[in-house]
């Protein structure tokens, strides 16, 4: 006998499901084949955070007021029964990057679908595994989630420690051209574990081959494949190189929003290319642009470059108030981004606030401008004094 949901048109059912919280939506999908297909189609926007402690996941989702489904996943160790007591399983070497995820193993359901780890706070993982194993386990969760929901997603935010190759491959294979909004957030200053130093989050991540997998670089016939319809891209503490970032931006010609924070790829070679100053050669140095007036960032409306020390302005002592033409030296690529409505240099220590403000007044005239501000350095943190008598 059909229930009330079976009598509803699919369009109406999807509207109802889009208002459900994530646990209820997943529970609904487990009731029947039709409901499973409907709940997958309804997963359009997903914010996925994978951490080792409940408090870290809670902090990561603070202030995320959006219509996206928020899914905190807590990594859990495997447990085996030993003399009627639970002990942590050590059946695989934890120190190698190829270690399997410490989250519970997947089990097939009655309909043959892979069971995902619970998207709710779980038991904290103690003691902490090596950093490489944690990153591998986090990307295991990402790959498993995208295998089920990737083809319906248009908006994805992934919060973890870093991107691995198999996580990047999952983004390309299961999301592909349908994904329009992507945020990869790997900067979490509130995370404190025994495997991380106190300055770990202040430095850009080292370059990684995972970003080549994301842009399909080096694969014959697929060098310009992968994600190609992004409208917004946010990268926080991403180990992407300037060359890889140029490829990623160029193959997403509809990009309107670009937010980069603590990224070593923000170098003069990238921003000059973005503003069309380096348009004589393409990113491989082999061919010229077809249109000499082409500016790769001409469609950008929002550009945020935050906590990036690779770009700088002139020393204020070298510029007099009458030299308006010299104000944007080092940032003269900005004036070619004609569509910009918002620009941020927040926490860029090598950019002078007074010069940026004057350049915007005289040259750029961007409506929303966030000036650079001082951010703590490693030496600043080392000099912080703590009163032991404070309660």
């Amino acid at each position: 006998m059909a229930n009330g949901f079976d009598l509803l048109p699919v369009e109406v059912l999807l509207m109802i499901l889009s208002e459900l919280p994530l646990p209820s939506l997943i529970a609904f999908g487990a009731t029947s084949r039709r409901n499973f297909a409907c709940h997958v189609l309804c997963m359009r926007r997903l914010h996925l955070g994978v951490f080792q402690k409940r408090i870290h996941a809670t902090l990561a989702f603070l202030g995320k007021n959006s219509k996206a489904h928020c899914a905190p996943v807590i990594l859990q160790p495997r447990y085996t029964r030993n003399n009627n007591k639970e002990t942590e399983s050590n059946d695989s070497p934890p120190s190698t990057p190829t270690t399997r995820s410490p989250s519970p193993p997947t089990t097939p359901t009655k309909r043959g679908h892979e069971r995902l780890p619970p998207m709710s706070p779980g038991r904290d993982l103690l003691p902490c595994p090596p950093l490489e194993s944690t990153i591998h386990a986090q990307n295991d969760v990402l790959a498993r989630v995208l295998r089920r929901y990737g083809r319906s997603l248009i908006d994805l935010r992934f919060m973890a420690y870093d991107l691995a190759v198999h996580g990047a491959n999952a983004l390309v294979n299961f999301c592909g051209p349908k994904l329009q909004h992507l945020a990869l957030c790997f900067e979490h200053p509130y995370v404190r574990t025994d495997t991380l130093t106190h300055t770990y989050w202040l430095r850009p991540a080292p370059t990684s081959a995972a970003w080549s997998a994301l842009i399909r670089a080096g694969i014959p016939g697929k060098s310009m494949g992968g994600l190609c319809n992004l409208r917004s891209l946010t990268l926080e503490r991403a180990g992407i190189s300037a060359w890889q970032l140029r490829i990623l931006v160029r193959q997403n010609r509809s990009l309107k929003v670009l937010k980069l924070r603590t990224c070593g790829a923000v170098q003069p070679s990238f921003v000059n290319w973005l503003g069309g100053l380096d348009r004589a050669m393409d990113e491989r140095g082999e061919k010229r642009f077809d249109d000499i007036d082409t500016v790769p960032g001409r469609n950008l409306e929002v550009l945020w470059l935050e906590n990036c020390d690779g770009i700088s302005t002139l020393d204020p002592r070298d510029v007099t108030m009458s030299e308006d033409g010299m104000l944007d030296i080092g940032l003269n690529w900005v004036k070619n981004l004609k569509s910009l409505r918002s620009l941020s240099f927040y926490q860029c220590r090598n950019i002078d606030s007074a010069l940026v403000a004057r350049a915007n007044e005289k040259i750029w005239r961007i409506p929303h401008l966030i000036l650079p501000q001082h951010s703590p350095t490693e030496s600043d943190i080392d000099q912080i004094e703590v009163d032991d008598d404070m309660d």
Side-chain angles (χ1 to χ4, degrees), residues 162 183-187 200-207 211 233-242 244-245 248 258-271 303-311 346-350:
D162 206 345
L184 300 175
C185 305
F186 307 129
E187 184 176 13
Y200 178 81
W201 303 110
L202 297 180
R203 298 186 296 267
T207 55
W211 300 96
L233 175 64
T234 300
L235 302 178
E236 296 182 4
R237 198 182 174 276
I240 189 171
S241 68
Q244 291 167 334
L245 184 57
L248 185 58
L258 179 61
K259 297 181 180 180
L260 306 173
R261 177 172 177 81
T262 319
C263 291
V266 182
Q267 299 288 336
S269 60
F270 170 72
V271 294
L303 177 62
W304 289 9
L305 308 176
E306 300 182 344
N307 196 28
C308 298
D309 297 335
I311 53 177
Y346 182 65
Q347 293 184 340
C348 291
R349 288 178 288 270
N350 295 330

Side-chain angles (χ1 to χ4, degrees), residues 54 82 98 111 139 161 195 208 227 274 296 330 360 374 388:
R54 184 184 300 107
N82 184 14
T98 57
R111 291 182 297 277
N139 282 264
Y161 291 177
T195 59
S208 169
L227 308 174
L274 190 68
N360 190 53
H374 175 71
D388 296 333

Side-chain angles (χ1 to χ4, degrees), residues 95-121:
S95 58
T96 60
T98 57
T99 302
R100 296 295 300 172
S101 169
S103 55
T106 60
T107 56
T109 63
K110 293 181 179 180
R111 291 182 297 277
H113 300 296
E114 183 182 21
R115 188 182 301 279
L116 295 175
M119 293 187 179
S120 60

